[in-house]
Amino acid sequence: TAPFSLITGPCQLESLDHARMMAETIAEACAPTGTRFIFKASYDKANRSSITTERGLGMDEGLTILSKIRDEFGVPILTDVHDAAQCGPAGEVVDVIQIPAFLCRQTDLLLAAGRTGCAINIKKGQFLAPWDMENVAAKVASTGNESILLCDRGTSFGYNTLVSDFRGLPIMARTGYPVVFDATHSVQQPGGQGTTSGGQREFAPVLARAAVAVGVSALFIETHQDPDNAPSDGPNMIPVEKMGTLIGQLRALDDLTKSQPPIGL
Amino acid sequence: TAPFSLITGPCQLESLDHARMMAETIAEACAPTGTRFIFKASYDKANRSSITTERGLGMDEGLTILSKIRDEFGVPILTDVHDAAQCGPAGEVVDVIQIPAFLCRQTDLLLAAGRTGCAINIKKGQFLAPWDMENVAAKVASTGNESILLCDRGTSFGYNTLVSDFRGLPIMARTGYPVVFDATHSVQQPGGQGTTSGGQREFAPVLARAAVAVGVSALFIETHQDPDNAPSDGPNMIPVEKMGTLIGQLRALDDLTKSQPPIGL
Amino acid sequence: TAPFSLITGPCQLESLDHARMMAETIAEACAPTGTRFIFKASYDKANRSSITTERGLGMDEGLTILSKIRDEFGVPILTDVHDAAQCGPAGEVVDVIQIPAFLCRQTDLLLAAGRTGCAINIKKGQFLAPWDMENVAAKVASTGNESILLCDRGTSFGYNTLVSDFRGLPIMARTGYPVVFDATHSVQQPGGQGTTSGGQREFAPVLARAAVAVGVSALFIETHQDPDNAPSDGPNMIPVEKMGTLIGQLRALDDLTKSQPPIGL
Amino acid sequence: TAPFSLITGPCQLESLDHARMMAETIAEACAPTGTRFIFKASYDKANRSSITTERGLGMDEGLTILSKIRDEFGVPILTDVHDAAQCGPAGEVVDVIQIPAFLCRQTDLLLAAGRTGCAINIKKGQFLAPWDMENVAAKVASTGNESILLCDRGTSFGYNTLVSDFRGLPIMARTGYPVVFDATHSVQQPGGQGTTSGGQREFAPVLARAAVAVGVSALFIETHQDPDNAPSDGPNMIPVEKMGTLIGQLRALDDLTKSQPPIGL
C-alpha cells in the first residue's frame, strides 16, 4: 500500500504571503522523503471557544488565497466548511472539503459536501464511537460520491480532555474508506485555557507514531513558524522547522509498517 | 423561586392533528398542578444517526403547525434550528429557539439566534464541560439578548453512552442564566441501535427527580402517545398517559426543594 | 419503606476523645429527625495517594476505640478492612464491615468478611459498572451471609475525576440488596492535589439530594469539626456543624420520595 | 537503548506440563530475534468477576511449578501477589513480583513487595492517571528497592471498556523507571460477558504496535495454545502459534523506533 499522505498547513489562513511561506517551507520538509502533502488552512474558525477570539479572513478572501497556493505550488488543497451554502464555492477551489468534528452528523452539510464531487474528509465527532462513522459516511455516499476519508481527532474523555483510541483506526478502516489520523487536534485540551483551548504539542509526535505503526492512509498535522503566537491552536501545532525531521521518522515507520503482513487472529 | 417550567412535546412534528392532540393531552396533564408548559416539537431532524431515517415535515409546514398550536392553545412554543438562515423565520413564530447540542459552539448560529430576540435554549454539547457553557452563552449575549437558558442533556461517557453529572446544574447556574435539565435525551444511547439511537426510558423519571432535587428552572421531557412507534427518539420518550402522574410527583419535589434554604459550605 | 439510615463519622479515627466528641455531635444532629446513624471511622488508611501521609492509629487501638463508642453511645459501628486477616478481629467489634472500592473484587476479602456474619457494605469500584456489582455481592452471599449493602461512591470519568451516575442506584437495587450513596467520596478528585486527593465539598449536599430523590436505603457522609485540618479527606468532608441542617433537609426529601409510588414505564 | 523485553506466558498456571509446554513454545518464538522473555503465570486469580469461575492451583503448587520452569529453562519468572503475606514466599522463587492494577494503591502490599528485593512490576490502576503512578512507585522505593517497572494495562472509559492512552507511556517514563505496556489486558472488556470479562484479541497486536512505536522497555502479552478454552482471559490472549510472527514484527518496529532520536518540542 502507498505511503501516507500528509494533510498539513497552518490552522488558520493569515495572509497570502504567510500561506506562501508555509507552503514553501512544508514542501521543503516533504521533499527528502517524496511525501505527498495536501495544503490545509481554514478561512473561518466558526466554532471557537469564545466570541472574543479571531475568526479569520472569511470565505471570499480565504478561497482566493487557497486558489493561488494551489496554482503556484501545484498542491491539492483542503479546507473546512461550516454550512451547506459554503460547499459550492469551496468545492470550486479545493480538492478536499473537510467536515468539522462537531458537524459530522449534520445531514445537509454532508450531502452538500458530497455533491461537490470533491474528496470529503470527515472528522469523527468527539462524541461518536469509531463504528458510528459508517452511518456518517453513508450520508455522503448517498450522493454518489465515494471519495471519503474518515479522520480521528480524539474522543471525549472526562472534561476538557480527549483520548485517542487506536482501535478506532482499524474499526473505521473496515468501511473500506481511507483513514486519517489528526495528530495535532488529538492533543487539544478543549476549553482548557478558559476562553481558548489548551494543547500538549509534545504529545503530537507520540500519537502520530502510534497511528503510523497501527496503519493509516494519511496523517493530519497542523504547523506554524511560531506556534506560540499563532492566532489559533498554537498550543498544539508543531513548529514548522521540526516538520522535516518528524516526517522523515514517520515515513521510515510507515515504510516498515506497510512492509509487514497483517496477523490474522 | 418559581416552580419549574416544563418544555415538552413530541420529538418530531408529525401533523397538525397530532400536534393538537399532544398539546391537548399535555395541557390536561399539567392542569392539576398549574404547571406552565412550553410546547416543543422539531420540524426537521437534521442530524440523525442514519440517512435512511425520517427527517420530518420541513421548516415551512412545521412552522405553520407550530404557529397554529401557539394560537389555539395560548402556549409558548420552542423549536430547534440547524443553521443561521433558519433563525429569522423560526423566530417569527416561536418563543424559544433551541440550539442543538452538537451545534452549541457554532458562532454564526448562536449570533443569528440571539438577534431574533427570542429566548434561546442552548443545549450543552455532549463534548463540553458545564463550565464551558459560560463562553457559549456569551456569544448569544454579545447580541444584546440575555434571554438565555442553559440545558444539560448528558455528557459523553465512553462509547454510545451518556452520563448526567448533577454538579453541572449548579455550575451552569453560576452564570445567572436559568438552567434546564433534559431528562429524555440524557437517557439516549447515541448510535446504540446501529442506524438509530437507543434509549432507556425507564431512567428518565429517575434523572428528572435527581435534577429537581438539585434545583432547576425548567425540565425538558419529550413525550408521545405511542413511543415505540414514534418516528424518532422512541426509546427514550415518556408515554403521554404517564405525564400527569410524573409531573405531579416532580412538582411536589420541586416545591419542597425550593422551600429549603441553601446550605453554604 | 423506612427512612434512610446515615453512615457518618470522621474519615479517620484520631483519638478516643475525638471519636466521642464526633459521636456526640452527630447524635445531636440526628436527634430532631430521629435519624438512625451508624458511626463510621477508619483505623487505617491503607491506600492513600502517597506514602508520606498519615495512615492512622492501627487496628488494635482503633478497634478498642470503636468498641467504646459502640458501648457508650449504643450506636452501630462501621469500619473498613484491608485484608482477609482483619475481618475476624474487626467483625468482633463492629456491626458493619466495609469493603473499600479498590478491593471490591478481591474474592478472599469478600469471603472472609461474609463469614463474620456482620453486615457487609461493599463500595462499588470506580472501575465497575453498577450491574457488575451483582457478581460482587454473590461472592459474599456464597458464605451464607445475605446482609449486604451496595454503595456507590462514584465512577472514573477521565483523569482525577469521578462522576455519579444516578441510574446506578436503581440498577444496583435490582439485586434486592439495600443501596447506599456515599456523598462525600463521590466528590473526591482522586490524586487531584499531587500527593493527596482533592475534593469539592460544596457538591456533596447536591449529590446527596439527587440520591435521596432517586431513592436510597442509606446515605454515607463523612464529617469533621474542622475539615480543612483533618488528617485525611478534608477537601470533601462536611463540617459537623452543618450536619443538622443537612440531615433535616434530606429527611424531608426522603419522606416525600418514599411517599410517592413508582411510575412503571 | 535495549530492545524490549517480553513478559509472556499463560494467564493462569494449569499444570507443570502445561507450563513446560508454554515455556518451550515461547522460547522458540523468541529465539529468531534473540528476544529476552520473562515467563509470567498466576497461581491464583484472586479478583475474578464471579465466584463461580476457576481460581487456579494455589500458591504452594504454583510456586513449585514456577521454580521448576525457572530452573529448567533458565528464564526469569514473574507472578502476581494478592496480599502482603504472599510477597515473602513468592519473592523466594520469582524474579519479578507483580502488583495487580486493582491493588496498586495498597500501601502494605507495595511495601512488602519492595522488601523482597525482587523487581516489582506495578500495573497502573484503571482508575488512575499516568502521573499518579509516581506516588505509587515512591511507596516501593521507600523500602530502598528501586527495581520498579510501571505497566499500563488500560484506563476506565465508560462502562465495561478500557482505553489505552499512549501519552501515558512517556508520562510514566518521566519517573525514570522502565515502562511496560500490557497489550492483552488492555483489550479486556471488564465484566463484558456477565460473569466473566470479554476481550478483543484482534486489537492486542494493534495496541502493541502503537506502544512499541511510542517506545517501551517491555511488552506484556499473555498467550495460550487454545485461548478459547483457557481457564481465564481467553478472549484477549494471543494464540501461541502466532507469537513468533508477532514478536518478529514488533522487534523490527522496536529497532527502528530506538534508532530514531527524540524530537524535542
Side-chain angles (χ1 to χ4, degrees):
Chain A
T1 51
F4 64 75
S5 300
L6 183 64
I7 300 170
T8 188
C11 179
Q12 184 168 335
L13 277 173
E14 299 180 23
S15 67
L16 176 56
D17 280 352
H18 182 258
R20 274 182 181 138
M21 181 274 286
M22 290 301 302
E24 193 172 322
T25 318
I26 289 166
E28 284 162 15
C30 288
T33 47
T35 297
R36 286 185 55 223
F37 80 98
I38 297 159
F39 187 78
K40 183 270 164 182
S42 296
Y43 53 77
D44 184 16
K45 307 311 296 177
N47 59 23
R48 299 208 63 173
S49 299
S50 163
I51 187 77
T52 61
T53 43
E54 274 183 60
R55 288 190 51 167
L57 301 177
M59 186 164 67
D60 290 350
E61 188 178 350
L63 290 178
T64 304
I65 293 173
L66 289 173
S67 178
K68 286 189 178 150
I69 298 295
R70 188 175 197 262
D71 292 346
E72 292 178 19
F73 291 85
V75 289
I77 302 287
L78 174 150
T79 203
D80 47 340
V81 293
H82 313 287
D83 72 36
Q86 297 179 355
C87 292
E92 303 277 307
V93 169
V94 304
D95 304 88
V96 188
I97 286 181
Q98 179 168 289
I99 306 296
F102 291 159
L103 302 181
C104 76
R105 284 271 295 265
Q106 302 305 312
T107 306
D108 288 339
L109 182 64
L110 292 161
L111 297 179
R115 287 182 195 122
T116 62
C118 293
I120 310 299
N121 182 35
I122 315 174
K123 297 237 182 151
K124 185 184 79 61
Q126 298 87 337
F127 45 84
L128 284 189
W131 47 84
D132 296 331
M133 290 299 284
E134 184 176 357
N135 283 322
V136 169
K139 293 185 182 180
V140 174
S142 76
T143 67
N145 183 344
E146 292 274 1
S147 293
I148 295 169
L149 300 94
L150 301 179
C151 179
D152 190 339
R153 50 90 79 235
T155 301
S156 290
F157 178 65
Y159 292 134
N160 303 314
T161 309
L162 301 171
V163 72
S164 295
D165 180 358
F166 287 99
R167 294 170 297 196
L169 302 179
I171 290 171
M172 294 202 297
R174 288 176 193 159
T175 59
Y177 299 119
V179 168
V180 186
F181 181 73
D182 177 345
T184 44
H185 289 94
S186 294
V187 298
Q188 264 188 342
Q189 296 172 307
Q193 303 187 328
T195 55
T196 58
S197 288
Q200 298 177 299
R201 181 188 303 154
E202 68 272 28
F203 294 127
V206 168
L207 298 185
R209 295 185 65 83
V212 168
V214 168
V216 288
S217 296
L219 279 178
F220 181 113
I221 301 178
E222 287 185 347
T223 183
H224 197 270
Q225 85 284 1
D226 183 10
D228 290 337
N229 293 297
S232 58
D233 274 10
N236 48 287
M237 282 196 287
I238 300 292
V240 74
E241 81 264 18
K242 304 284 191 179
M243 286 292 281
T245 309
L246 178 60
I247 294 166
Q249 292 191 357
L250 294 172
R251 273 296 300 277
L253 209 50
D254 189 55
D255 290 345
L256 174 62
T257 295
K258 289 175 179 165
S259 75
Q260 294 180 333
I263 298 178
L265 286 182
Chain B
T1 51
F4 64 76
S5 300
L6 184 63
I7 301 170
T8 187
C11 179
Q12 184 169 334
L13 277 173
E14 300 180 23
S15 68
L16 175 57
D17 281 351
H18 182 258
R20 273 181 182 137
M21 181 275 286
M22 289 300 302
E24 193 172 321
T25 319
I26 289 165
E28 285 163 14
C30 288
T33 46
T35 298
R36 286 185 54 222
F37 80 99
I38 298 159
F39 187 77
K40 184 270 164 181
S42 297
Y43 53 77
D44 184 16
K45 307 309 295 176
N47 59 24
R48 298 206 65 171
S49 298
S50 163
I51 188 77
T52 61
T53 43
E54 274 182 61
R55 288 191 51 169
L57 300 177
M59 185 163 68
D60 290 349
E61 187 177 351
L63 291 178
T64 304
I65 294 174
L66 290 173
S67 178
K68 287 188 176 150
I69 297 297
R70 188 174 195 264
D71 292 346
E72 293 178 19
F73 291 85
V75 288
I77 303 287
L78 174 149
T79 201
D80 47 340
V81 292
H82 314 287
D83 72 36
Q86 298 180 354
C87 293
E92 304 277 308
V93 170
V94 305
D95 304 88
V96 188
I97 287 181
Q98 179 168 290
I99 306 294
F102 291 159
L103 301 182
C104 76
R105 283 272 295 267
Q106 304 303 312
T107 306
D108 288 339
L109 183 64
L110 292 161
L111 296 180
R115 288 184 193 120
T116 62
C118 293
I120 311 298
N121 183 34
I122 315 175
K123 298 238 182 151
K124 184 184 78 60
Q126 300 87 337
F127 45 85
L128 284 189
W131 46 83
D132 296 331
M133 289 299 283
E134 184 176 357
N135 284 320
V136 168
K139 293 183 182 182
V140 174
S142 76
T143 67
N145 183 344
E146 292 274 359
S147 294
I148 296 170
L149 300 94
L150 301 180
C151 178
D152 191 340
R153 49 91 80 234
T155 300
S156 291
F157 179 65
Y159 291 133
N160 302 314
T161 309
L162 299 171
V163 72
S164 296
D165 180 358
F166 287 99
R167 295 169 298 194
L169 302 180
I171 289 171
M172 293 201 299
R174 289 175 192 159
T175 59
Y177 299 118
V179 168
V180 186
F181 181 73
D182 176 345
T184 43
H185 288 95
S186 294
V187 299
Q188 263 189 342
Q189 297 171 306
Q193 301 187 331
T195 55
T196 58
S197 288
Q200 296 177 298
R201 180 188 306 154
E202 68 273 27
F203 295 126
V206 169
L207 299 185
R209 295 184 65 84
V212 169
V214 169
V216 288
S217 296
L219 279 179
F220 181 112
I221 300 179
E222 288 186 346
T223 183
H224 196 270
Q225 85 285 2
D226 183 9
D228 290 337
N229 294 298
S232 56
D233 275 10
N236 48 286
M237 282 195 286
I238 300 292
V240 74
E241 82 265 19
K242 305 284 191 179
M243 286 293 282
T245 309
L246 178 59
I247 294 166
Q249 292 192 357
L250 294 172
R251 273 297 300 277
L253 208 50
D254 189 56
D255 290 345
L256 174 60
T257 295
K258 288 174 179 165
S259 75
Q260 294 180 332
I263 299 178
L265 287 182
Chain C
T1 50
F4 65 76
S5 300
L6 183 64
I7 301 169
T8 188
C11 178
Q12 184 169 332
L13 277 174
E14 301 179 23
S15 67
L16 175 56
D17 280 351
H18 182 258
R20 273 181 182 138
M21 182 274 288
M22 289 301 302
E24 192 171 323
T25 318
I26 290 165
E28 285 161 16
C30 288
T33 47
T35 297
R36 287 186 53 224
F37 80 98
I38 298 159
F39 186 79
K40 182 267 164 184
S42 296
Y43 54 78
D44 183 16
K45 307 309 295 177
N47 59 23
R48 298 207 65 173
S49 299
S50 163
I51 187 77
T52 60
T53 44
E54 274 182 61
R55 286 190 54 168
L57 301 177
M59 187 163 67
D60 289 349
E61 187 177 349
L63 291 178
T64 304
I65 294 174
L66 290 172
S67 178
K68 287 188 177 152
I69 297 295
R70 188 176 196 263
D71 292 346
E72 293 178 19
F73 292 85
V75 290
I77 302 287
L78 174 151
T79 202
D80 46 341
V81 292
H82 314 288
D83 72 37
Q86 298 179 353
C87 293
E92 303 278 307
V93 170
V94 304
D95 304 88
V96 188
I97 287 182
Q98 179 168 289
I99 306 295
F102 292 158
L103 301 182
C104 76
R105 283 270 296 265
Q106 303 304 313
T107 306
D108 289 338
L109 182 64
L110 292 160
L111 297 180
R115 286 183 195 121
T116 62
C118 293
I120 311 299
N121 182 33
I122 316 174
K123 297 236 182 154
K124 185 184 80 60
Q126 299 89 336
F127 45 85
L128 283 189
W131 45 83
D132 296 332
M133 289 300 284
E134 184 176 357
N135 283 321
V136 168
K139 293 184 182 181
V140 174
S142 75
T143 66
N145 183 344
E146 293 273 359
S147 294
I148 295 169
L149 300 94
L150 301 180
C151 178
D152 190 340
R153 48 92 79 234
T155 301
S156 291
F157 179 64
Y159 292 133
N160 301 315
T161 309
L162 301 171
V163 71
S164 296
D165 180 359
F166 287 99
R167 295 170 297 195
L169 302 179
I171 290 171
M172 293 201 299
R174 288 176 193 157
T175 58
Y177 299 117
V179 168
V180 186
F181 181 73
D182 176 345
T184 44
H185 289 95
S186 293
V187 299
Q188 264 189 340
Q189 297 172 306
Q193 302 188 331
T195 54
T196 58
S197 288
Q200 298 178 298
R201 179 188 306 154
E202 69 272 27
F203 295 127
V206 169
L207 298 185
R209 294 184 65 84
V212 169
V214 168
V216 289
S217 297
L219 279 178
F220 181 112
I221 301 178
E222 288 186 346
T223 184
H224 197 270
Q225 84 285 1
D226 182 10
D228 291 337
N229 294 299
S232 57
D233 274 13
N236 48 285
M237 280 196 287
I238 300 292
V240 75
E241 83 265 19
K242 305 283 190 180
M243 286 293 282
T245 309
L246 179 60
I247 294 166
Q249 292 192 357
L250 294 172
R251 273 297 300 276
L253 208 51
D254 189 56
D255 289 345
L256 174 61
T257 295
K258 287 173 179 165
S259 74
Q260 296 180 331
I263 299 177
L265 287 182
Chain D
T1 50
F4 65 74
S5 300
L6 184 64
I7 300 170
T8 188
C11 178
Q12 186 168 333
L13 276 174
E14 299 179 23
S15 68
L16 175 56
D17 281 350
H18 182 258
R20 273 181 183 139
M21 182 274 287
M22 290 301 300
E24 191 172 323
T25 318
I26 289 165
E28 285 162 15
C30 288
T33 47
T35 297
R36 286 184 54 223
F37 80 98
I38 298 159
F39 186 79
K40 183 267 164 184
S42 296
Y43 54 78
D44 183 16
K45 307 310 295 176
N47 59 22
R48 299 208 64 172
S49 299
S50 164
I51 187 78
T52 60
T53 44
E54 273 181 61
R55 287 191 53 168
L57 301 178
M59 187 163 67
D60 290 348
E61 187 177 350
L63 290 178
T64 304
I65 293 174
L66 289 174
S67 177
K68 287 190 176 149
I69 297 296
R70 188 175 195 263
D71 292 346
E72 293 178 20
F73 291 84
V75 289
I77 302 287
L78 175 149
T79 202
D80 47 341
V81 292
H82 313 287
D83 73 36
Q86 297 179 355
C87 293
E92 304 277 308
V93 169
V94 306
D95 304 88
V96 188
I97 286 181
Q98 179 167 289
I99 306 295
F102 292 158
L103 302 181
C104 77
R105 284 270 295 265
Q106 303 305 313
T107 306
D108 288 338
L109 183 63
L110 291 161
L111 297 180
R115 288 182 194 120
T116 62
C118 293
I120 311 299
N121 182 35
I122 315 174
K123 297 237 181 154
K124 185 185 78 61
Q126 299 88 336
F127 45 85
L128 282 190
W131 47 82
D132 295 332
M133 290 299 284
E134 185 176 356
N135 283 322
V136 169
K139 293 184 183 181
V140 174
S142 77
T143 67
N145 184 344
E146 293 273 0
S147 293
I148 296 169
L149 299 94
L150 301 179
C151 179
D152 190 339
R153 49 91 79 235
T155 301
S156 290
F157 179 66
Y159 291 133
N160 302 315
T161 308
L162 301 172
V163 71
S164 296
D165 180 357
F166 287 99
R167 295 170 297 196
L169 302 180
I171 290 170
M172 293 202 298
R174 288 176 193 156
T175 59
Y177 299 118
V179 168
V180 186
F181 181 73
D182 176 345
T184 44
H185 288 95
S186 294
V187 299
Q188 263 189 342
Q189 296 172 306
Q193 302 188 330
T195 55
T196 58
S197 288
Q200 298 178 299
R201 180 188 304 155
E202 68 272 27
F203 295 126
V206 169
L207 298 185
R209 295 185 64 84
V212 168
V214 168
V216 287
S217 297
L219 280 177
F220 180 111
I221 302 178
E222 288 186 346
T223 184
H224 197 270
Q225 84 285 0
D226 182 10
D228 290 338
N229 294 299
S232 58
D233 275 11
N236 47 287
M237 281 197 286
I238 300 292
V240 73
E241 81 265 19
K242 303 284 189 178
M243 286 292 281
T245 308
L246 178 59
I247 294 166
Q249 292 191 359
L250 294 172
R251 274 296 301 275
L253 209 50
D254 189 55
D255 289 346
L256 174 61
T257 296
K258 287 174 178 164
S259 75
Q260 295 181 332
I263 299 178
L265 286 182

